[in-house]
C-alpha cells in the first residue's frame, strides 16, 4: 500500500457535465502541488445521469483516479465520508464537483497549512456568486443560529471545502455517527484549524442539489448533532409555562371568589391554544432527538459501495 502525498476527494451527484473539466483542473492543481504523488477520489452518489460512466471512462485513462460508485444516493455528507474513508493521502483536499470552489487555491491552502502549522485549513466564503438571495440569506442565518446554539464553535460561512492533515482526518474518521454534519465534526476534532478566505464562484453546470428541504435537514443534523440546547429550551419553556399557569390559577380563583367568573371564553381559548402549541413544540423537539437516537442505535453502515474503478487504498467497508 502506498500513501500518496495528496488526495483530492470529490462527492458527485448528477455532475456528468462538470466531470471532464473538474478532472482537468484538479489534476493540474494536484500536479503543481505534489508532482505525480497524488490520487483523486471521485464518489458517484447514485447519480441519475451519466456521471458513473464518465468516471469509469476517466479512470481507464488516468491511474490517479479512484472512482467509487455508491449503491444508491446516500446524500452529500455520506458520499463525502465514503471518499474520506477510502482515500490514502497524507493531506486531503475536500472539494465540490461543480467547481464553485476553485481547485487552484490548493497551492495557497498548502502554504497556509505550513506557515501557520495547521492541521486543517478551511475555506471561508467571502463572496458567493450566482446563488440566489434566498440561498445566501438562509445560509447566513443558519450559520449564525448554529453558532448561538452549539457547544462546539463551528466557523461561520464555511462549507466542506478544506485541506486536512492525515492526523486530523484519522481523528475525524473515528467519529461513528450516522447524522453527519462534517464541517462541525471536523471542528470538534480540534488541532490547529485556520481560516482561508476565498470568493465562491458560480456552478460550472447544472443546479444546486441542496434545495430548501435538504438544507433544513442538514440544519437539524447540525443543531442536534452539536447541541442539546433545544432540549434545554424545551424544559425552560415548560418551566415558564408552569409559572404562567400558577399565576393563572391565582387569577381564576380570584374571579371565582368575587363571582365574576363566567365571561372567560376568549382567555380560555387563548390559554388552550397556547399550551397546546407549546406542548407540540416541546414534544417535537424531543422527537427530533429520539429519532436520531433510534437511527444511531441501529448502527447501520454509513454507506455501501457498489463498484470501484481504479486502485483503492483506504479503509472503507466495501459492500461486496
Ligand atoms: N452532492 C452529493 N450527493 C447529494 C447532493 C450533492 O454527492 O445527494 C454533491 C454535489 O455533486 C456537489 C456537492 O455535493 O459536488 C455540493 O452540492 P451542491 O453543489 O449541489 O450544493 P451547493 O454548492 O449548492 O450548496
Ligand atoms: Mg455547489
Amino acid at each position: 500500500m502506498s500513501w500518496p502525498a495528496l488526495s483530492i476527494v470529490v462527492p458527485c451527484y448528477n455532475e456528468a457535465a462538470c466531470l471532464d473539466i473538474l478532472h482537468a483542473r484538479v489534476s493540474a492543481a494536484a500536479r503543481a502541488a505534489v508532482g505525480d504523488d497524488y490520487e483523486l477520489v471521485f464518489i458517484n452518489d447514485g447519480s441519475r445521469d451519466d456521471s458513473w460512466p464518465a468516471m469509469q471512462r476517466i479512470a481507464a485513462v488516468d491511474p490517479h483516479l479512484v472512482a467509487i460508485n455508491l449503491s444508491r444516493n446516500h446524500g452529500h455528507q455520506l458520499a463525502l465520508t465514503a471518499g474520506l474513508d477510502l482515500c490514502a493521502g497524507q493531506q486531503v483536499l475536500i472539494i465540490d464537483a461543480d467547481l464553485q470552489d476553485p481547485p487552484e487555491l490548493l497551492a495557497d491552502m498548502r502554504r497556509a497549512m505550513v506557515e501557520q502549522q495547521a492541521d486543517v485549513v478551511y475555506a471561508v466564503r467571502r463572496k458567493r456568486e450566482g446563488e440566489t438571495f434566498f440561498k445566501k440569506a438562509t445560509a447566513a442565518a443558519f450559520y449564525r443560529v448554529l453558532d448561538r446554539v452549539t457547544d462546539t464553535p463551528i466557523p461561520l460561512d464555511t462549507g466542506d471545502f478544506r485541506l486536512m492533515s492525515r492526523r486530523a482526518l484519522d481523528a475525524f474518521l473515528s467519529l461513528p455517527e450516522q447524522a453527519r454534519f462534517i464541517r462541525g465534526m471536523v471542528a470538534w476534532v480540534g488541532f490547529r484549524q485556520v481560516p482561508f478566505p476565498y470568493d465562491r464562484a458560480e456552478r460550472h453546470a447544472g443546479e444546486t442539489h441542496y434545495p430548501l428541504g435538504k438544507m433544513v435537514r442538514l440544519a437539524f443534523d447540525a443543531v442536534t448533532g452539536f447541541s442539546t440546547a433545544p432540549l434545554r429550551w424545551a424544559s425552560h419553556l415548560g418551566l415558564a409555562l408552569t409559572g404562567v399557569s400558577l399565576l393563572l390559577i391565582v387569577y381564576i380563583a380570584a374571579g371565582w371568589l368575587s363571582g365574576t367568573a363566567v365571561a372567560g371564553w376568549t382567555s380560555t381559548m387563548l390559554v388552550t391554544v397556547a399550551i397546546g402549541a407549546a406542548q407540540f413544540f416541546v414534544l417535537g423537539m424531543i422527537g427530533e432527538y429520539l429519532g436520531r437516537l433510534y437511527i444511531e442505535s441501529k448502527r447501520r453502515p454509513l454507506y455501501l459501495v457498489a463498484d470501484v474503478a481504479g486502485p483503492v487504498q483506504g479503509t472503507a467497508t466495501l459492500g461486496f
Side-chain angles (χ1 to χ4, degrees):
M1 177 182 276
S2 67
W3 299 91
L6 175 73
S7 298
I8 299 184
V9 176
V10 194
C12 306
Y13 177 61
N14 295 348
E15 304 283 11
C18 299
L19 282 178
D20 280 316
I21 176 131
L22 169 79
H23 175 244
R25 281 179 62 185
V26 291
S27 299
R31 204 170 289 282
V34 295
D36 214 25
D37 195 16
Y38 69 93
E39 66 170 359
L40 307 173
V41 180
F42 289 4
I43 305 96
N44 175 40
D45 186 19
S47 299
R48 275 169 301 181
D49 68 354
D50 289 335
S51 295
W52 178 240
M55 283 183 195
Q56 285 176 303
R57 178 169 49 71
I58 301 171
V61 293
D62 181 4
H64 291 286
L65 178 64
V66 182
I68 299 158
N69 191 27
L70 297 187
S71 62
R72 62 172 170 83
N73 179 251
H74 282 77
H76 176 209
Q77 302 285 297
L78 294 180
L80 185 50
T81 302
L84 293 173
D85 267 342
L86 279 156
C87 76
Q90 290 305 304
Q91 286 181 346
V92 179
L93 180 74
I94 302 175
I95 194 165
D96 281 356
D98 56 14
L99 295 165
Q100 280 190 290
D101 311 321
E104 292 73 25
L105 294 181
L106 173 64
D108 289 338
M109 291 169 86
R110 281 173 46 105
R111 195 168 316 123
M113 185 172 252
V114 175
E115 277 170 7
Q116 303 183 50
Q117 296 183 352
D119 280 278
V120 177
V121 177
Y122 57 89
V124 180
R125 297 160 182 173
R126 234 173 358 210
K127 257 200 304 199
R128 301 167 73 123
E129 301 279 349
E131 290 181 298
T132 60
F133 171 76
F134 179 74
K135 169 123 193 178
K136 285 191 253 194
T138 46
F142 163 63
Y143 287 120
R144 274 145 196 90
V145 170
L146 188 64
D147 191 46
R148 276 286 170 81
V149 303
T150 53
D151 311 325
T152 310
I154 298 170
L156 298 180
D157 302 319
T158 303
D160 289 318
F161 182 31
R162 60 189 60 222
L163 182 67
M164 293 171 72
S165 70
R166 175 47 63 177
R167 87 171 170 168
L169 179 66
D170 282 344
F172 163 82
L173 290 176
S174 70
L175 307 187
E177 57 248 56
Q178 297 271 346
R180 295 176 91 75
F181 180 61
I182 290 178
R183 56 205 88 150
M185 293 165 67
V186 173
W188 181 89
V189 158
F191 302 110
R192 189 167 160 71
Q193 312 207 357
V194 297
F196 180 88
Y198 79 116
D199 297 330
R200 193 159 206 233
E202 274 183 57
R203 251 180 173 278
H204 172 69
E207 295 197 339
T208 178
H209 306 114
Y210 266 103
L212 187 61
K214 271 197 198 169
M215 290 216 312
V216 169
R217 212 166 75 201
L218 187 69
F220 268 101
D221 279 345
V223 171
T224 55
F226 286 90
S227 163
T228 47
L231 285 176
R232 219 156 45 230
W233 300 339
S235 52
H236 288 177
L237 185 65
L239 213 61
L241 282 174
T242 312
V244 172
S245 28
L246 283 177
L247 291 177
L248 272 174
I249 287 170
V250 174
Y251 172 75
I252 291 164
W256 182 69
L257 285 175
S258 61
T260 56
V262 182
W265 188 80
T266 314
S267 58
T268 311
M269 284 311 283
L270 280 178
V271 170
T272 311
V273 168
I275 292 190
Q279 278 174 336
F280 273 114
F281 177 73
V282 172
L283 276 176
M285 202 82 97
I286 294 169
E288 288 290 339
Y289 284 91
L290 196 65
R292 281 171 176 73
L293 205 61
Y294 167 62
I295 287 169
E296 295 293 345
S297 73
K298 287 196 283 195
R299 307 184 66 99
R300 287 193 179 161
L302 298 176
Y303 55 84
L304 291 173
V305 175
D307 313 280
V308 176
V312 178
Q313 331 206 36
T315 55
T317 41
L318 302 180
F320 54 84

